[in-house]
Amino acid sequence: MVHEALDPAFERLIDPQAAVTRAGTGFIFTEGPVWHPLDHYLLFSDMPGDVRRRLDRSGVREVARPSNKGNGMTYDAALNLVVCEHATSSVARIGPDGRREVLASHFEGRELNSPNDLCIRSDGSIYFTDPWYGRMAGFGVERPRELGWQGVFRIPPGPTSREPQLVTSRYLFSQPNGLCFSPDECLLYINDTEQANIRVFDVRPDGSLSEGRMFASGIRDPDKPGLPDGMKCDAEGNVWVTAPGGLWVYNSGGRLVGKVAIPEEAANMHWGGPDWRTLHVCATTSVYTIETRVGPRREPFMAATVTSRRTEAGSGAASSGAVLDPSRCALIIQDMQNDVVIEGGAFAGSGAPQHCREQNAIANTARLADHCRALGVPVIHVWFVVEPGAAGLTLNAPLFEGVVESNALVRGSWGAAPVDGLEPKQGDHVVEKMRMSAWEGTRLETILKAQQRDMVIVTGAWTNMSIEHTARTGADKGYIMIVPEDCCSTMNADWHNAAINYALQNVSAVTRSADVIDALR
């Protein structure tokens, strides 16, 4: 099919001639697609059929019947499935063992309408919309409404016995539906199917929302079927929403840049595939796939790794419920220097400062370092430092050539200094290098052996270069390498995810800072 580019920026996101492939068909009304980051399959629901299905290389098969007429789905960071259930008016969490736990079902003593779609913030809080489609025949179970209005709610992280928090005005929305975060989670987009618009809200530090403002309106076409329903944000901050004729794509400023043509009326979408560039579209009776040039905004579950499986197998890696012995651990903070990850630095044009901010890598690493110091875990700063003129630095790789050409990381300069918030503190070690790996030509291993540390937590920049090289070499040397991915960054999310989801899986335990902090006891 031919897609419609309304702005040159659209062609950076998708080939206007990109093929739309039907991956499965014969359903009643498909919804709620979500991609499993480890086992590489698409889970989706067929609401009227009251069934949940799995699509993989072998085809399509049922995985749950009945499914409580599940609609929107996602995974949390621990890869529990979180589902909006129309038949029960609930948001439920389903563990890998099939155990179901209700996270939200009532507000102020009244049953919710029918939770419809949801997204999860990095702090673990869950935001969901609550229209009343699930109280209509077919899409749910026909029954009277109790609330009398349709809102948007937040389930705070932590104990689930509390009722959800209402985060928007009760009467702002007619039928709130799709919602998604911006890449930095500072904005939350929420659409309204009946009003045919998208609103955007500022997300405050405590998780509450601003009053909001109109982002896009008039998402209608009398000549084509389709309405605002499912919605996703890509890694560059563009908003993709189901609409007449398929998907409409808006840039972060609210300008419509293009339209993706889908053969049937689209209801929802989700990126997946080995490189997160395959867009899966649930459209009425079928699921379609289309290759894109951009991937999704990184949701917390997308960083899920084989860590938990390794822990179950006895590896001792950090994950929820695991324990790390502080007497065996050391923390490396690598290349977190101004030239590398700060605006105004020599490599600012690479996109590294923006990705570092998106990852919140500085603050996450600082929090982990403070926790390590409190437990007596050595903190080792590894800096790339060259003398004026880069004497002694071989130019056998483009990275090293770039250091010379940019006059970067020169001893005594602002660029070589550590970023604010990650300066060495009393008792920390500083190791200097002139290679990607923290091991090559340094005294790192001398420090580790002197303190009998065989478990190395690696943080810093850049994920697909220094972090990956350090983890590979450490694994070869016999160390247990642990990579909290939200303490790492590189030039962009795609390169980061490529390292996290592939190379680093084979040489380290990839996890998150909160899990490492919890495991260090």
Side-chain angles (χ1 to χ4, degrees):
M1 301 186 72
V2 178
H3 314 295
E4 186 177 358
L6 303 174
D7 185 285
F10 183 68
E11 296 191 25
R12 291 193 301 102
L13 309 179
I14 186 172
D15 181 347
Q17 303 295 324
V20 178
T21 302
R22 191 164 63 183
T25 192
F27 317 119
I28 304 174
F29 187 86
T30 58
E31 253 288 6
V34 63
W35 182 260
H36 197 287
L38 301 186
D39 295 333
H40 291 190
Y41 63 82
L42 185 79
L43 209 61
F44 67 97
S45 61
D46 188 342
M47 279 188 299
D50 200 15
V51 62
R52 189 155 50 244
R53 292 186 170 90
R54 165 177 170 157
L55 168 65
D56 56 28
R57 292 182 178 179
S58 300
V60 178
R61 62 182 175 87
E62 291 186 7
V63 295
R65 181 192 288 267
S67 64
N68 292 327
K69 297 208 169 181
N71 190 345
M73 297 188 290
T74 190
Y75 293 107
D76 63 19
L79 288 185
N80 298 297
L81 184 66
V82 186
V83 186
C84 290
E85 297 181 346
H86 276 189
T88 66
S89 295
S90 300
V91 177
R93 179 166 58 202
I94 302 171
D97 59 357
R99 186 174 67 89
R100 176 179 174 273
E101 176 186 10
V102 174
L103 303 182
S105 61
H106 290 73
F107 180 73
E108 295 181 343
R110 297 182 178 183
E111 196 173 54
L112 296 169
N113 295 309
S114 57
N116 192 84
D117 208 352
L118 74 170
C119 58
I120 299 181
R121 198 178 178 209
S122 292
D123 66 357
S125 55
I126 302 168
Y127 293 73
F128 68 92
T129 53
D130 188 42
W132 65 280
Y133 292 121
R135 291 176 181 264
M136 300 178 184
F139 293 113
V141 177
E142 193 170 8
R143 59 204 191 279
R145 286 179 278 168
E146 296 186 12
L147 283 184
W149 46 270
Q150 293 73 240
V152 181
F153 295 88
R154 174 180 182 261
I155 303 172
T160 58
S161 58
R162 297 167 290 169
E163 72 173 20
Q165 302 168 346
L166 179 66
V167 291
T168 62
S169 170
R170 297 182 184 218
Y171 301 103
L172 180 63
F173 292 97
S174 303
Q175 293 284 25
N177 200 325
L179 72 174
C180 59
F181 284 107
S182 60
D184 60 5
E185 298 186 338
C186 291
L187 301 173
L188 180 65
Y189 300 92
I190 306 172
N191 70 42
D192 190 306
T193 299
E194 189 171 291
Q195 297 176 13
N197 60 31
I198 303 170
R199 290 182 173 88
V200 60
F201 300 80
D202 297 311
V203 183
R204 301 187 181 105
D206 65 357
S208 62
L209 303 182
S210 68
E211 290 301 312
R213 55 194 179 274
M214 190 61 65
F215 176 75
S217 60
I219 309 175
R220 294 187 174 96
D221 187 331
D223 298 323
K224 295 180 180 179
L227 291 165
D229 191 337
M231 188 164 60
K232 293 290 186 292
C233 201
D234 68 28
E236 296 183 6
N238 303 292
V239 176
W240 301 55
V241 62
T242 62
L247 313 175
W248 291 10
V249 184
Y250 294 84
N251 68 12
S252 58
R255 185 173 73 251
L256 182 62
V257 299
K259 300 179 180 181
V260 180
I262 303 296
E264 299 181 66
E265 183 174 343
N268 213 332
M269 77 206 85
H270 201 281
W271 273 281
D275 59 356
W276 295 98
R277 297 296 182 92
T278 302
L279 188 62
H280 298 79
V281 181
C282 284
T284 316
T285 68
S286 307
V287 175
Y288 294 90
T289 62
I290 182 170
E291 298 303 316
T292 63
R293 292 169 170 165
V294 67
R297 85 101 181 168
R298 188 180 55 81
E299 299 181 49
F301 81 88
M302 293 178 181
T305 69
V306 296
T307 299
S308 58
R309 295 178 181 175
R310 290 177 178 171
T311 301
E312 291 169 4
S315 75
S319 68
S320 179
V323 177
L324 290 173
D325 182 355
S327 69
R328 296 177 59 189
C329 292
L331 172 68
I332 291 177
I333 302 174
Q334 185 165 203
D335 297 351
M336 293 302 268
Q337 298 160 264
N338 292 324
D339 268 344
V340 181
V341 295
I342 298 298
E343 294 291 356
F347 300 114
S350 68
Q354 178 180 343
H355 189 246
C356 186
R357 289 193 300 271
E358 291 172 358
Q359 287 285 97
N360 200 28
I362 295 172
N364 292 339
T365 302
R367 185 167 55 250
L368 177 57
D370 286 342
H371 185 74
C372 286
R373 293 183 186 105
L375 295 175
V377 174
V379 175
I380 306 170
H381 303 261
V382 178
W383 297 339
F384 198 119
V385 179
V386 299
E387 304 300 331
L393 178 64
T394 59
L395 305 182
N396 59 303
L399 177 66
F400 306 137
E401 292 176 355
V403 170
V404 175
E405 292 168 357
S406 303
N407 195 31
L409 301 166
V410 177
R411 185 183 301 281
S413 69
W414 170 84
V419 301
D420 290 344
L422 290 179
E423 303 88 348
K425 295 188 178 181
Q426 184 175 1
D428 290 358
H429 302 271
V430 175
V431 170
E432 295 183 358
K433 63 170 187 173
M434 288 198 298
R435 314 310 288 167
M436 279 184 274
S437 171
W439 306 91
E440 186 66 28
T442 75
R443 61 191 186 99
L444 173 61
E445 193 162 19
T446 301
I447 296 171
L448 295 173
K449 288 187 177 298
Q451 300 196 33
Q452 298 180 320
R453 308 286 166 159
D454 64 349
M455 304 180 77
V456 182
I457 305 163
V458 186
T459 67
W462 289 321
T463 320
N464 58 318
M465 294 188 216
S466 295
I467 302 302
E468 186 176 316
H469 279 254
T470 297
R472 287 178 184 275
T473 304
D476 278 344
K477 288 177 173 288
Y479 291 86
I480 296 172
M481 306 302 293
I482 300 166
V483 180
E485 69 86 23
D486 58 339
C487 293
C488 304
S489 66
T490 185
M491 283 81 160
N492 56 63
D494 290 336
W495 286 11
H496 174 83
N497 290 335
I500 289 297
N501 293 328
Y502 295 96
L504 284 167
Q505 294 287 342
N506 295 314
V507 294
S508 63
V510 183
T511 181
R512 293 180 67 81
S513 57
D515 289 332
V516 177
I517 289 172
D518 184 61
L520 281 167
R521 305 169 189 171

